[in-house]
């Protein structure tokens, strides 16, 4: 029953976006059968597409209610604006108005749109770990997170960052179950995240996002010996060729 409810909180399939490939994974914690509180989503905006990942403090039915509310609040708000800061602020207002008791929400969102053959990205954060950009030449960038979690205060003060990603670059969003995963030596995966991501950049060119996610999952499970203390969500986007514009009619 917990698995069925968890599945209902996640998209059944990812949409197709011209010029990019997508993959996502939800990995449940090793122990317990309580409903997890991670979410991810991909949705349209007035000027492109949006991605979101989020994590609700807590587990169980109350946290699941907040998870559903947060995911849909972000999606609904994004229908009216392409600005991640406005999306997170609007979602915060909705969560506060609902007065849910399941805990606060951290979230990371990205807005994508093609500009002159280059993918323009605006990242928004509400108390969430920084997204990662793995460049095709092996460089890894962590623009930073920032902002306050949703559902706590009227002023969410989201953090935002703008950047461009080109063919072969990867945008990686994840929840803190990844960074807080603990090895047998009691160290956290966060301490080696940059090195692991840089190592993945050395995989064959054109590696599909699903294989990138699978490789990250293997490295994580090796590090933790399969013992995950928290749910983990990963959302991977790889940039391909810029979609060609249809010629204008005379």
């Amino acid at each position: 029953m917990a698995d069925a409810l968890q599945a209902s909180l996640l998209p059944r399939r990812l949409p197709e976006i011209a010029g990019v490939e997508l993959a996502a994974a939800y990995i449940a914690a090793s122990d317990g059968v309580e409903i997890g509180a991670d979410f991810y989503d991909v949705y349209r905006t007035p000027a492109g597409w949006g991605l979101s990942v989020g994590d609700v403090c807590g587990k169980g039915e109350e946290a699941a209610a907040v998870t559903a509310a947060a995911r849909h609040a972000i999606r609904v708000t994004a229908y009216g604006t392409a600005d991640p800061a406005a999306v997170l602020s609007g979602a915060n207002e909705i969560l506060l108005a609902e007065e849910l008791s399941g805990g606060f929400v951290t979230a990371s969102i990205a807005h994508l749109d093609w500009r002159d053959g280059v993918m323009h990205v605006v990242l928004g954060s509400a108390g969430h770990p920084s997204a990662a950009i793995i460049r095709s030449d092996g460089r890894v960038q962590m623009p930073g997170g920032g902002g306050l979690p949703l559902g706590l205060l009227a002023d969410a003060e989201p953090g935002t960052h703008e950047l461009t990603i080109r063919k072969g670059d990867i945008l990686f969003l994840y929840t803190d179950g990844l960074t807080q995963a603990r090895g047998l030596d009691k160290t956290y995966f966060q301490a080696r995240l940059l090195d692991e991501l840089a190592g993945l950049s050395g995989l064959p060119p054109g590696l599909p996002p699903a294989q990138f996610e699978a490789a990250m999952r293997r490295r994580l499970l090796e590090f933790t010996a399969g013992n995950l203390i928290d749910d983990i969500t990963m959302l991977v986007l790889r940039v391909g060729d810029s979609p060609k514009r249809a010629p204008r009619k005379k």
Side-chain angles (χ1 to χ4, degrees):
M1 291 176 63
D3 288 344
L5 182 53
Q6 180 65 53
S8 72
L9 300 175
L10 302 173
R12 294 188 177 183
R13 63 180 182 84
L14 295 175
E16 294 185 2
I17 302 177
V20 305
E21 297 175 89
L22 289 168
Y26 168 79
I27 310 169
S30 303
D31 56 348
V33 295
E34 285 191 294
I35 306 157
D38 283 8
F39 66 88
Y40 66 86
D41 203 1
V42 181
Y43 45 85
R44 286 190 178 275
T45 75
W49 287 89
L51 312 177
S52 69
V53 298
D55 186 10
V56 178
C57 175
K59 285 182 177 290
E61 294 181 1
E62 291 185 346
V66 179
T67 300
R71 177 191 164 204
H72 290 294
I74 290 172
R75 172 181 277 264
V76 169
T77 306
Y79 282 142
T81 177
D83 178 12
V87 171
L88 290 172
S89 295
N92 185 57
E93 292 179 7
I94 293 173
L95 291 176
L96 289 174
E98 291 292 326
E99 297 182 347
L100 299 169
S101 59
F104 60 84
V105 182
T106 70
S108 180
I109 68 175
H111 182 259
L112 318 169
D113 70 291
W114 287 100
R115 298 183 184 179
D116 298 323
V118 176
M119 176 68 78
H120 180 257
V121 181
V122 182
L123 299 170
S125 173
H128 202 79
S130 173
I133 295 90
I134 302 92
R135 300 291 183 180
S136 58
D137 61 5
R139 290 177 298 130
V140 179
Q141 296 175 299
M142 308 286 281
L148 298 175
L150 307 177
L152 286 178
L153 302 173
D155 189 355
E157 298 182 357
T160 59
H161 302 273
E162 294 190 39
L163 50 96
T164 57
I165 51 179
R166 300 174 184 274
K167 183 177 180 179
D169 292 346
I170 289 174
L171 174 63
F172 181 52
L173 305 179
Y174 54 91
T175 54
D176 66 0
L178 179 72
T179 53
Q180 297 303 309
R182 193 177 302 175
L184 296 178
D185 59 356
K186 305 303 181 183
T187 60
Y188 291 100
F189 197 73
Q190 181 175 10
R192 57 191 295 166
L193 180 59
L194 282 174
D195 289 339
E196 294 290 357
L197 292 173
L200 289 176
S201 70
L203 293 171
L207 184 75
Q211 293 185 30
F212 180 97
E213 177 274 316
M216 176 60 78
R217 184 196 297 242
R218 285 194 301 271
R219 296 184 181 203
L220 180 67
L221 293 177
E222 289 172 1
F223 173 73
T224 62
N227 182 31
L228 301 178
I229 60 175
D230 194 8
D231 303 328
I232 296 170
T233 293
M234 294 184 281
L235 184 56
V236 185
L237 177 147
R238 181 181 177 277
V239 183
D241 293 316
S242 171
K244 295 180 180 179
R245 296 182 178 178
R248 294 182 180 179
K249 296 181 179 180
K250 296 182 178 180

